[in-house]
Amino acid sequence: MSSKSHILGRIRGNKPGPRALPTLPPDPAAGTREQWEPAFRAVLTGSKSGFITPDALSGHVAAYGPDATIVSTVPEVAGNLYLGTVTDPLQLAGVDVTVLRARLGVAENGAMWVSETEAVHRVLPFITQHLVLVVRTSDLVGTMHEAYRRIDVAETGFGVFIAGPSKTADIEQSLVIGAHGPRSLTVCLG
Amino acid sequence: MTHAERAAEFLLDESRTDWHDASLWHVRGKRDAVVHGIPEWEALRQLGSDIKDNVLSNLDTYLEEFEARATAKGVTVHWARDAAEHNEIVHSILHRHRVERIVKSKSMLTEECHLNEYLEGRGIEVIDTDLGERIIQLRKEPPSHIVMPAIHLKKEEIGQLFHEQLGTDVGASDPQYLTEAARQHLREKFLAANAAITGVNFAVAETGGIVVCTNEGNADMGVHLAPVQIHCMGIEKIIPRAEHLGVFTRLLARSATGQPVTIYTSHHHRPKPGGEMHVVIVDNGRSEQLGREDFRNSLKCIRCGACMNTCPIYRRSGGHSYDHTIPGPIGSILSPGIDLKKHGDLAFASTLCGSCSDVCPVKIDIHDQLYKWRQLVSEAGHLPRSKTLPLAGAGAVLSRGGLYNFMGKAARVALRLAPRSLLYHKFNPWGETRELPEVPEESFKEWYARTKSGREQ
């Protein structure tokens, strides 16, 4: 007998009687739409992310200096590394700044959805030293429940909620920003 | 050795015990603060628990649905009855690709299966990439906590370790500096790895995808750079639909570390272009636990670690005292089912205060299960004589009213007269760190009768 049939057989023999799947209740009141932006800003500021306005975007990126390797997949900013020439993700190891669009932002926890469509290379939002995510205020939602209704997680092969710069507290619970991924996250909200 | 003996070793260093206790209580405090910001928290826990109830009663069909959807998207799904088969499957994938170096992100399942030792014995370099995991891997220790694997170590010890193994400055112990050193060291490993292995937080039956939550981004660095990605999951990680991720992502990080969500919540549904994606589904005793009516709820666990952070025993005995992959209250109800004789004493590593059940995001009745395991341990004859003899004596006295009254009086007299050495000695471990209260003149029963139910003085 294959391991699959063995395991499934044992589960069928041992599982409890039927229990109905609960219906998800209507969305909890996560404040009104006007309260989402302040909540979103507050929680991301708490996770050490910065905010800029859309007018400040190109200046923010330029401030990394003329030698910085910049990747951008948003029309507002030009990068200097063209992703069309990148065939192996290892070629992205030297990227300093990456600018990507996030499909939506969640007010309750600051999470922003970036899929393979926006990132092009899956490793890009992680391997870059600094990350800038561009989110429209109109793309904010209240809670994760609403977020999962708005996106199709299986639309592309990979998608991620990002809620701050990479961090760790594994040494004596001391918060350190820049564990393996980006050392900073800047949110361009407008 | 028993849990109590290992805990006694941990307790020898009193200031370290206090520090450990305070560190975990701090995390519990953070959890409380963030949970209080969610007015519907209790309803959310109930929802999480109800969804998991449904999962347990449909586990077979959800797993089959998951496999069909994942396979249709080009993912290879494997099934392993036990740890040995899991390790063989992982090794065979690596062997086929002639993989020499792998990077791993945190997976309690691979710890449970002892995958690292298995692969290293076959000439494969295994690098744990979560900072805490890397620290304990360099120290050749198991994790002491499922979310914070190196919570038992002080920064000076980590500084010394990094000095010896990674060449950091002697005496340097600044967490920022040490983390930067680990970042540089591990980035080289990420760039050189031929395959990456991760655990799985949630597998979605409806979409055939898996979800991995991290703060460091280490799972993603590994998986997206290496051509071969392998995700190992226990059968109970399945959830029915993508919309249920909304419930569980809201519960997980708040319960684990007091964050509103982990920094990265990554959803993998297809292999990367030109790459391979494997999911290994592992039983290893879980289907047996599913058949134990009193204990099957333990399979609802989402591995947040909240029960450890709140447990007065865990906080003051350390994760290693449990001698099991999953320590703390949840580990103590999972492990007796694996080996009752070896782990049965863990059912007693609890005050039964119930705090673990109160903080559990999926409402597992942890302290009730601990109590039930105690009865099974006793029935199976695994209780030590230091417990069976006093219990037999207490049973004899407590079941006879007259004898109880007499023994109470006798004790009140004896305790006043007896020299200290007769009460506090090596056969009374209870008295090693505690003092008896002052002996009252009369029993409660006598007081109750004398004062006419407390109405008169």
Side-chain angles (χ1 to χ4, degrees):
Chain A
M1 199 198 308
S2 76
S3 293
K4 177 185 169 184
S5 350
H6 175 84
I7 294 168
L8 292 176
R10 288 189 57 115
I11 292 173
R12 284 182 196 117
N14 285 346
K15 68 179 185 177
R19 290 290 294 266
L21 191 58
T23 344
L24 293 190
D27 275 348
T32 59
R33 183 162 275 278
E34 294 72 50
Q35 289 167 316
W36 289 349
E37 188 185 329
F40 182 72
R41 283 180 184 273
V43 71
L44 275 167
T45 306
S47 77
K48 314 293 176 198
S49 309
F51 279 89
I52 53 171
T53 58
D55 329 336
L57 180 58
S58 49
H60 175 83
V61 172
Y64 284 98
D67 298 332
T69 302
I70 295 160
V71 175
S72 170
T73 64
V74 303
E76 299 92 317
V77 186
N80 55 22
L81 176 69
Y82 174 55
L83 285 180
T85 60
V86 174
T87 49
D88 184 337
L90 291 173
Q91 290 171 264
L92 299 167
V95 173
D96 296 300
V97 187
T98 296
V99 188
L100 305 174
R101 197 180 142 229
R103 206 84 69 81
L104 61 77
V106 185
E108 70 162 326
N109 59 18
M112 291 164 279
W113 178 254
V114 176
S115 82
E116 204 166 14
T117 309
E118 293 82 36
V120 184
H121 284 280
R122 297 180 185 187
V123 80
L124 189 55
F126 304 94
I127 203 168
T128 184
Q129 297 287 334
H130 302 275
L131 180 63
V132 181
L133 292 179
V134 181
V135 198
R136 289 196 202 107
T137 315
S138 56
D139 286 335
L140 295 184
V141 298
T143 67
M144 287 303 270
H145 303 297
E146 198 177 341
Y148 277 110
R149 269 199 296 280
R150 284 267 297 268
I151 55 172
D152 173 4
V153 292
E155 182 192 329
T156 61
F158 176 73
V160 57
F161 279 109
I162 300 175
S166 157
K167 71 166 194 175
T168 183
D170 274 347
I171 301 177
E172 281 200 11
Q173 286 295 297
S174 302
L175 177 66
V176 178
I177 301 298
H180 298 295
R183 299 172 188 273
S184 75
L185 172 67
T186 307
V187 182
C188 175
L189 183 66
Chain B
M1 268 173 92
T2 63
H3 173 268
E5 286 161 349
R6 287 184 296 264
E9 276 181 14
F10 184 82
L11 287 163
L12 286 175
D13 187 342
E14 203 171 318
S15 67
R16 192 187 187 92
T17 308
D18 289 344
W19 166 80
H20 188 264
D21 180 24
S23 302
L24 289 152
W25 192 244
H26 171 69
V27 183
R28 160 75 208 262
K30 283 185 2 191
R31 173 247 173 227
D32 289 354
V34 74
V35 160
H36 292 157
I38 307 287
E40 70 278 16
W41 181 254
E42 288 306 316
L44 199 60
R45 286 176 75 212
Q46 190 60 50
L47 210 48
S49 175
D50 290 347
I51 295 168
K52 287 281 184 174
D53 271 331
N54 171 267
V55 166
L56 295 184
S57 66
N58 295 283
L59 199 48
D60 50 335
T61 49
Y62 287 147
L63 285 168
E64 285 184 297
E65 184 184 355
F66 171 82
E67 183 190 37
R69 298 285 158 88
T71 308
K73 293 189 167 86
V75 178
T76 312
V77 177
H78 310 258
W79 301 75
R81 291 180 206 206
D82 52 25
E85 191 174 10
H86 162 264
N87 292 348
E88 283 160 21
I89 290 168
V90 172
H91 181 251
S92 72
I93 299 167
L94 300 178
H95 186 69
R96 189 152 38 80
H97 290 275
R98 302 190 201 297
V99 168
E100 291 166 354
R101 288 177 294 269
I102 65 157
V103 284
K104 261 182 71 208
S105 71
K106 194 150 48 181
S107 153
M108 295 318 294
L109 175 65
T110 62
E111 291 281 345
E112 173 187 322
C113 297
H114 302 289
L115 177 69
N116 287 17
E117 294 88 327
Y118 182 89
L119 294 179
E120 283 161 359
R122 279 152 190 78
I124 295 171
E125 180 191 70
V126 181
I127 302 290
D128 276 313
T129 57
D130 172 80
L131 177 59
E133 288 270 321
R134 183 65 183 142
I135 291 167
I136 56 154
Q137 186 184 33
L138 289 172
R139 281 175 63 98
K140 301 187 173 24
E141 274 181 1
S144 73
H145 188 288
I146 61 172
V147 174
M148 300 167 284
I151 189 79
H152 60 295
L153 294 172
K154 297 206 170 189
K155 60 185 180 191
E156 290 78 16
E157 293 166 295
I158 297 166
Q160 179 62 26
L161 177 77
F162 278 19
H163 170 63
E164 288 162 14
Q165 307 253 3
L166 306 181
T168 54
D169 294 343
V170 63
S173 65
D174 174 43
Q176 180 90 40
Y177 169 79
L178 296 176
T179 302
E180 180 63 30
R183 176 185 172 104
Q184 302 297 342
H185 158 71
L186 287 166
R187 193 157 268 240
E188 282 173 30
K189 301 291 182 186
F190 283 125
L191 295 173
N194 317 112
I197 299 180
T198 82
V200 171
N201 288 97
F202 309 103
V204 185
E206 172 191 45
T207 65
I210 60 109
V211 176
V212 180
C213 305
T214 74
N215 279 322
E216 297 183 8
N218 56 314
D220 287 281
M221 282 291 281
V223 161
H224 304 318
L225 285 172
V228 179
Q229 67 190 83
I230 305 172
H231 309 279
C232 304
M233 60 176 267
I235 54 173
E236 80 282 21
K237 292 290 173 190
I238 202 95
I239 61 170
R241 299 206 274 263
E243 64 176 7
H244 298 132
L245 288 168
V247 175
F248 292 108
T249 53
R250 294 187 82 201
L251 289 168
L252 178 63
R254 287 185 174 97
S255 300
T257 55
Q259 294 171 254
V261 68
T262 48
I263 299 295
Y264 302 110
T265 308
S266 299
H267 305 61
H268 303 266
H269 277 90
R270 286 187 198 102
K272 67 180 83 60
E276 270 186 30
M277 175 171 164
H278 298 264
V279 176
V280 188
I281 299 173
V282 185
D283 182 341
N284 205 34
R286 288 163 175 78
S287 60
E288 196 179 345
Q289 187 84 333
L290 187 65
R292 298 184 179 113
E293 195 181 340
D294 285 344
F295 303 110
R296 63 165 60 107
N297 273 352
S298 60
L299 294 170
K300 292 179 176 179
C301 176
I302 58 171
R303 302 288 190 267
C304 70
C307 59
M308 293 163 206
N309 306 340
T310 201
C311 177
I313 302 295
Y314 175 90
R315 284 187 275 120
R316 296 201 141 261
S317 61
H320 289 156
S321 67
Y322 291 79
D323 195 26
H324 179 64
T325 308
I326 312 274
I330 182 68
S332 302
I333 60 171
L334 288 169
S335 56
I338 297 164
D339 185 342
L340 189 67
K341 195 166 190 309
K342 183 180 175 206
H343 298 298
D345 67 316
L346 294 183
F348 297 86
S350 166
T351 62
L352 299 184
C353 69
S355 185
C356 46
S357 309
D358 287 344
V359 296
C360 177
V362 288
K363 299 187 91 163
I364 302 172
D365 51 340
I366 304 177
H367 73 294
D368 288 334
Q369 293 194 31
L370 285 166
Y371 179 58
K372 287 172 185 162
W373 275 119
R374 289 184 183 188
Q375 294 166 54
L376 293 185
V377 170
S378 172
E379 280 164 23
H382 296 316
L383 280 187
R385 285 173 72 80
S386 61
K387 277 207 166 68
T388 53
L389 284 179
L391 283 174
V397 173
L398 293 172
S399 59
R400 295 174 181 84
L403 185 59
Y404 175 80
N405 289 341
F406 171 75
M407 291 297 281
K409 270 204 182 75
R412 283 194 296 283
V413 174
L415 285 173
R416 263 200 297 274
L417 301 177
R420 191 174 167 82
S421 60
L422 201 66
L423 298 174
Y424 298 93
H425 50 70
K426 65 175 178 162
F427 297 111
N428 175 18
W430 187 92
E432 278 170 23
T433 50
R434 303 176 183 89
E435 287 289 325
L436 283 166
E438 204 176 310
V439 182
E441 293 291 329
E442 57 187 350
S443 70
F444 172 76
K445 209 165 158 182
E446 289 163 347
W447 170 87
Y448 193 79
R450 177 172 63 74
T451 59
K452 303 204 166 44
S453 327
R455 283 192 294 268
E456 297 170 11
Q457 275 306 308

